[in-house]
């Protein structure tokens, strides 16, 4: 059941059954690597990035599936869980490499001065990029999401690390012990770091996504394999819908009409995301789909242009 008036607006408490959520809104979240449908040229771009040990820069509109490709690659090549670095205007290279709680260590030193303890390890954690650069037999998978949201200097700051595949943790380079067990990002596993140097043995598979809101320096672009998500077609959108939802014969015609209207709006330069189409199809084909009186209003809510609040 996907649609019914759960909320009536009369203020009276009642028991309701919300039914199962859309497959892509089930929690704990499950990867969508089986459902992802790579557009033309993306498979070749991924293979080029893997062969050249270069990051893959994927540009396209919001909701076009840019960040999902890495889930499929990581699953197919058994690269383990995907490390994620979500970029904001405040993101820095240092935070992506490692985090050091200097104040926490000072506080602990004051409390434990009598015991003579000065262990730095509890106050260090590798960031997502730092974890991806740990020496491992197989490459790790790292998503750098929405890099065009970063400070202007961040892409240039990344150049040396991406070129050399290594970095230094200054706090450990000055530390009295050579080997320190440092926690990785997203877990409690610890890895030995020798004299503050982290050096990858297999360059990670890195996907960087961009909504195309800014340009990047040529020095940064030449170190990437670049791919732009193409404009969806009715056929490609139908494949995406069928990968996520089962469409019976009764709803096949209305779904095709919905897809055709979606493609027309994209061609008119309206800002829409593919997951909006999935949401609309999910509601339209549900066992308790809105009737004719409500359908237009519901579809307008779900398919509202992204450039409008």
């Amino acid at each position: 059941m996907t649609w019914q008036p759960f909320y009536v607006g009369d203020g009276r408490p009642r028991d309701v059954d919300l039914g199962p959520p859309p497959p892509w809104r089930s929690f704990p979240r499950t990867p969508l690597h089986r459902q992802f449908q790579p557009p033309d040229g993306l498979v070749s771009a991924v293979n080029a990035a893997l062969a050249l040990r270069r990051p893959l820069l994927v540009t396209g509109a919001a909701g076009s599936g840019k960040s999902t490709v890495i889930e499929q690659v990581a699953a197919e090549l058994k690269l383990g869980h995907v490390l994620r670095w979500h970029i904001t205007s405040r993101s820095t290279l240092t935070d992506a490499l490692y985090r050091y709680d200097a104040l926490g260590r000072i506080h602990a030193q004051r409390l434990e001065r009598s015991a003579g303890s000065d262990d730095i390890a509890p106050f260090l954690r590798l960031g997502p990029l730092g974890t991806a650069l740990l020496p491992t037999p197989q490459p790790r998978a790292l998503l750098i999401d929405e890099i065009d949201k970063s400070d202007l200097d961040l892409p240039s700051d990344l150049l040396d690390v991406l070129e050399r595949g290594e970095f230094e943790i200054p706090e450990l380079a000055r530390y009295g012990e050579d080997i320190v067990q440092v926690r990785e990002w997203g877990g409690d596993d610890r890895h030995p770091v020798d004299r503050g140097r982290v050096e990858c043995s297999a360059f990670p598979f890195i996907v960087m996504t961009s909504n195309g809101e800014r340009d990047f320096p040529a020095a940064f672009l030449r170190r990437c394999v670049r791919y732009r998500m193409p404009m969806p077609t009715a056929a490609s959108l139908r494949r995406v819908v069928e990968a996520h939802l089962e469409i019976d014969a009764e709803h096949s015609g209305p779904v095709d009409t919905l897809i055709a209207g979606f493609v027309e709006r994209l061609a008119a330069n309206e800002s829409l995301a593919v997951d909006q189409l999935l949401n609309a199809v999910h509601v339209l084909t549900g066992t308790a789909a809105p009737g004719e009186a409500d359908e237009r209003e519901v579809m307008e809510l779900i398919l509202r242009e992204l450039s409008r609040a």
Side-chain angles (χ1 to χ4, degrees), residues 30-206:
T30 56
L32 299 175
H33 57 273
R34 293 187 182 275
Q35 291 79 15
F36 180 67
Q37 302 292 304
D40 292 342
L42 181 55
V43 171
S44 296
V46 168
N47 286 324
L50 289 167
L52 297 172
R53 273 61 169 186
R54 291 291 190 183
L56 174 63
L57 176 62
V58 182
T59 304
S64 58
K66 301 185 299 297
S67 60
T68 311
V69 59
I70 195 169
E71 295 182 357
Q72 191 171 73
V73 176
E76 285 193 16
L77 303 187
K78 298 181 179 180
L79 303 183
H81 72 276
V82 177
L83 299 163
R84 298 174 184 274
W85 179 19
H86 297 284
I87 299 294
T88 71
S89 59
R90 298 180 299 277
S91 297
T92 66
L93 175 61
T94 299
D95 284 343
L97 295 175
Y98 73 98
R99 314 286 175 89
Y100 173 52
D101 183 6
L103 293 178
R105 186 182 178 205
I106 292 172
H107 182 63
Q109 286 175 324
R110 290 175 178 172
L111 293 177
E112 300 174 3
R113 186 171 297 167
S114 59
S117 175
D118 185 27
D119 185 9
I120 195 174
F123 308 100
L124 277 168
R125 180 187 291 271
L126 293 172
L129 177 56
T131 300
L133 292 174
L134 285 169
T136 54
Q138 278 283 92
R140 299 292 297 268
L142 171 66
L143 173 67
I144 303 179
D145 203 18
E146 297 192 333
I147 192 168
D148 53 331
K149 298 288 196 300
S150 72
D151 176 86
L152 290 175
D153 292 331
L154 181 59
S156 297
D157 293 342
L158 280 167
L159 293 181
D160 186 63
V161 173
L162 296 181
E163 191 68 26
R164 299 174 62 85
E166 62 182 31
F167 68 97
E168 181 182 75
I169 302 176
E171 290 80 3
L172 293 185
R174 299 190 297 265
Y175 191 56
E177 298 182 13
D178 287 343
I179 306 295
V180 176
Q181 300 288 333
V182 181
R183 288 176 297 165
E184 70 171 32
W185 181 256
D188 290 323
D189 290 343
R190 295 176 179 269
H191 298 268
V193 175
D194 187 359
R195 292 184 294 276
R197 299 296 303 176
V198 175
E199 301 174 327
C200 74
S201 54
F203 190 78
F205 175 62
I206 300 175

Side-chain angles (χ1 to χ4, degrees), residues 54 68 131 179 186 219 254 256 292 297 302 307:
R54 291 291 190 183
T68 311
T131 300
I179 306 295
D256 285 340
E292 293 183 6
E297 180 181 6
I302 296 174
S307 60

Side-chain angles (χ1 to χ4, degrees), residues 260-274:
F262 189 85
V263 170
E264 288 179 4
R265 293 179 64 183
L266 290 177
N269 292 322
E270 291 193 44
S271 178
L272 295 167
V274 175

